[in-house]
Amino acid sequence: MRTGLGRVAVSAVSAAVMTTACLDDNPWFEEPTGSDSGGGTTMIGATTTVTPPPATTTSGSTTDEDDTEDDSETTDTTSSLTTTTSMTGVMSVCGDGIPEGGEECDEGADNADDGACTTACKFPACGDGLLQAGEVCDDGNPAPDDGCVACQVPRTCAEIHMLDGNAPSGAYVLDLGGPDPVAVYCDMNTTGGGWTVIERSALDDPIGVALFKDYPVNLDQPGEAPFRLGRAAMELMLANTTELRIDCGGADYLLTSSLALFEGEQGGATCENAAAIMYKEASLKGYMKTDVLLCTGFLGAEDGCEGAWYIDEGAQYLCQSEPFPWEFMIPVTSQSADTFAVDAAVKDTQDPVHDCHQDGAVRVVMLR
Ligand SMILES: [Ca+2]
Ligand SMILES: [Ca+2]
Ligand SMILES: [Ca+2]
């Protein structure tokens, strides 16, 4: 079982709302410089103008005996109202309806932690740990990898990337819509970032066996190889992604629709299962094909098959496609090499060796 993946507070009412209000109020996204001359944000200890206190006290030359003892901040919590004395000696009472001293706001009896002014006399803000309008969660921290980022619960790595452009590649927590949060690895670098890795496997692992089965691997180690999400998690991801990318960290890769993920199932349970897939981009050894149909093997629907997503340049006829698609009638990989696939028995040895077939290669399947 996974550990350390604690649920975050989720508001069912606003679960589907992705507003920008949170970002506007989010302290983690504030510009680090610039004076704060906005209304009502006077900081404790600041020397800026303060609103005159109620009749029982005076600002500056106060006559309140409790306020003349020293100039440090003190708080009286003996009543339902919180009395605070600021560094400048100005006493304020949170809850008296008068914004004063270090208070950002004060709406008296209307102060509420989910309202326009909190019970601490602060404006609602993403990062204050209180769930407020426009926020799906607020875990009170700026970390984007714990299932709550910028007060939203991310469903994909692309959403994390959008909410926090500085979020690096690494392990994250997503809410895919299933019963539990899911640990994944986000690739924030490849072609603009925002990729959610659903499978990572070393060349000689018996991988790809199970895009069509439920063979989760290393669910609590999303940054390791091998790693594979369970079938249900993959299916949930399809609702919020459009692109599928397969590569091994080099220049060779395939880019197609995420809807092609389970295309191999249409061919039935056989190791000879193949289908013509439309690739938006197919890069191989310096050759780039765009919007090209490539006959793709989906070994894996049956136990004992070697894996999925192999492309045999010469066997394109299986889909009535032209052979040797990258360079007309000239193979650029070894004969019968299962390009992009995982069959260690049919490796490419023709220089330059295909990225996915090099020693130590790790094949990554990811969605965005
Ligand atoms: Ca007040
Ligand atoms: Ca908040
Ligand atoms: Ca967080």
Side-chain angles (χ1 to χ4, degrees):
M1 294 298 290
R2 293 182 297 279
T3 58
L5 302 180
R7 292 287 289 179
V8 293
V10 177
S11 166
V13 174
S14 56
V17 179
M18 295 289 288
T19 71
T20 58
C22 177
L23 285 174
D24 293 342
D25 296 335
N26 185 353
W28 318 119
F29 289 85
E30 284 187 357
E31 293 294 331
T33 59
S35 62
D36 182 7
S37 59
T41 56
T42 307
M43 301 301 291
I44 290 177
T47 57
T48 49
T49 302
V50 288
T51 305
T56 56
T57 62
T58 57
S59 178
S61 58
T62 176
T63 58
D64 188 309
E65 61 183 10
D66 290 340
D67 199 34
T68 58
E69 294 173 2
D70 57 55
D71 62 353
S72 64
E73 181 181 330
T74 60
T75 301
D76 176 6
T77 58
T78 58
S79 69
S80 61
L81 303 181
T82 299
T83 303
T84 300
T85 304
S86 73
M87 294 291 286
T88 55
V90 178
M91 189 177 72
S92 60
V93 179
C94 181
D96 64 0
I98 301 174
E100 64 214 322
E103 299 169 356
E104 296 177 353
C105 55
D106 192 335
E107 298 188 351
D110 289 337
N111 285 346
D113 286 343
D114 60 352
C117 186
T118 72
T119 56
C121 285
K122 302 289 186 184
F123 289 123
C126 179
D128 63 8
L130 305 169
L131 191 62
Q132 292 139 339
E135 300 172 347
V136 182
C137 58
D138 190 334
D139 58 4
N141 70 56
D145 60 352
D146 54 10
C148 181
V149 52
C151 289
Q152 303 296 327
V153 175
R155 298 168 300 177
T156 65
C157 293
E159 289 186 355
I160 294 173
H161 191 58
M162 176 187 68
L163 292 165
D164 182 353
N166 294 319
S169 294
Y172 288 82
V173 174
L174 300 177
D175 183 350
L176 302 182
D180 297 305
V182 173
V184 299
Y185 183 92
C186 294
D187 179 336
M188 299 303 196
N189 298 317
T190 300
T191 62
W195 292 97
T196 305
V197 173
I198 63 171
E199 177 180 318
R200 180 187 291 104
S201 312
L203 176 60
D204 291 335
D205 283 340
I207 59 172
V209 171
L211 284 177
F212 318 116
K213 296 180 181 293
D214 187 22
Y215 286 164
V217 177
N218 274 344
L219 285 181
D220 58 351
Q221 301 284 334
E224 300 299 314
F227 165 80
R228 187 187 302 114
L229 285 176
R231 168 72 187 228
M234 290 185 185
E235 290 179 346
L236 288 168
M237 284 218 62
L238 293 184
N240 298 304
T241 56
T242 59
E243 296 181 306
L244 165 65
R245 184 182 175 101
I246 300 173
D247 72 37
C248 299
D252 302 336
Y253 66 93
L254 297 172
L255 178 66
T256 185
S257 166
S258 60
L259 296 178
L261 182 61
F262 299 123
E263 180 71 21
E265 289 185 321
Q266 308 306 315
T270 168
C271 287
E272 302 303 320
N273 179 7
I277 298 296
M278 174 63 74
Y279 292 92
K280 185 177 181 181
E281 298 170 5
S283 174
L284 179 63
K285 298 190 180 185
Y287 298 95
M288 169 69 86
K289 304 297 290 188
T290 58
D291 299 322
V292 59
L293 277 172
L294 296 177
C295 192
T296 303
F298 290 106
L299 310 184
E302 183 177 85
D303 287 336
C305 302
E306 292 295 340
W309 295 94
Y310 85 92
I311 299 175
D312 184 324
E313 288 185 279
Q316 292 291 297
Y317 64 86
L318 292 172
C319 305
Q320 290 78 53
S321 301
E322 291 287 333
F324 310 111
W326 278 282
E327 187 169 30
F328 183 65
M329 294 307 293
I330 299 176
V332 298
T333 61
S334 302
Q335 186 175 9
S336 299
D338 293 341
T339 312
F340 293 100
V342 297
D343 185 354
V346 197
K347 288 181 180 176
D348 176 33
T349 58
Q350 180 171 319
D351 285 335
V353 174
H354 184 268
D355 287 336
C356 295
H357 293 206
Q358 295 182 16
D359 291 342
V362 174
R363 188 189 70 165
V364 176
V365 182
M366 48 194 184
L367 300 176
R368 181 172 69 179

